[in-house]
Amino acid sequence: MTTMQAWLKQAADEERDRVAKAAGTSVGYLYQIAGGHRKASPELCKKLQDATDGVLTVSMIRPDLYLLIVGADPKSAA
């Protein structure tokens, strides 16, 4: 289970709705991202990070983007 899947599972319906709305997407799309069926854009990753106050981060949602942005291994940045 990915971190995003875990967050979706534990978050209340209202929280999932709030985060999706703040990020300009739908809860269904968040589930598609978490399941690996879709990839979040860099902009959406940032919006999700902001909407969750850093509970979900760019490096959690798209580790490949994190490597491109900072040029470092996300595991070593922790």
Side-chain angles (χ1 to χ4, degrees):
M1 182 177 295
T2 67
T3 303
M4 190 165 180
Q5 286 172 324
W7 179 83
L8 284 166
K9 185 175 181 178
Q10 65 84 31
D13 289 345
E14 297 81 17
E15 178 68 1
R16 289 190 294 264
D17 290 341
R18 183 195 66 75
V19 167
K21 185 176 181 177
T25 191
S26 68
V27 173
Y29 198 74
L30 297 181
Y31 276 102
Q32 290 180 354
I33 294 167
H37 305 289
R38 298 276 190 252
K39 283 191 175 184
S41 68
E43 295 82 11
L44 181 56
C45 288
K46 178 71 171 103
K47 288 178 183 179
L48 290 170
Q49 180 174 282
D50 292 345
T52 61
D53 294 324
V55 173
L56 296 176
T57 64
V58 173
S59 65
M60 290 176 188
I61 301 166
R62 289 279 308 268
D64 58 323
L65 289 178
Y66 185 82
L67 291 172
L68 288 173
I69 293 167
V70 300
D73 183 350
K75 293 179 182 114
S76 68

